Amino acid sequence: MAIIINLDVVMAQQKIGLTELSQKVDITMANLSILKNNKAKAIRFSTLEAICSALHCQPGDIITYMREEEEK
């Protein structure tokens, strides 16, 4: 996968748990867990905006692009 979601890293840096972020962003813990574990196929801009607002970060802190050959 070329798009990497670093939500778990940003959450650890901010010392915020899944439950707390779920409440702040108003997303189910199941959906947030899918994002956190890099299993999501898509993310709405409104969701990304809410996460960035809650974590006081930029989208680039959460989402990175990695070429296929860099993964190996």
Side-chain angles (χ1 to χ4, degrees):
M1 176 182 272
I3 302 294
I4 307 298
I5 305 294
N6 296 312
L7 183 57
D8 56 339
V9 174
V10 177
M11 287 174 62
Q13 290 170 343
Q14 301 273 340
K15 295 185 174 98
I16 186 169
L18 198 62
T19 304
E20 185 179 351
L21 184 59
S22 172
Q23 291 169 348
K24 285 184 176 186
V25 178
D26 196 27
I27 292 179
T28 65
M29 284 185 34
N31 285 337
L32 200 53
S33 181
I34 289 169
L35 278 172
K36 182 178 165 262
N37 293 316
N38 210 27
K39 301 288 183 194
K41 298 291 181 192
I43 183 170
R44 293 179 186 266
F45 283 138
S46 59
T47 301
L48 182 59
E49 181 181 3
I51 290 171
C52 288
S53 177
L55 294 175
H56 308 289
C57 66
Q58 294 294 315
D61 297 332
I62 296 172
I63 299 173
T64 56
Y65 171 75
M66 183 179 293
R67 292 185 191 174
E68 296 291 332
E69 56 269 8
E70 290 178 13
E71 287 184 21
K72 297 175 182 172

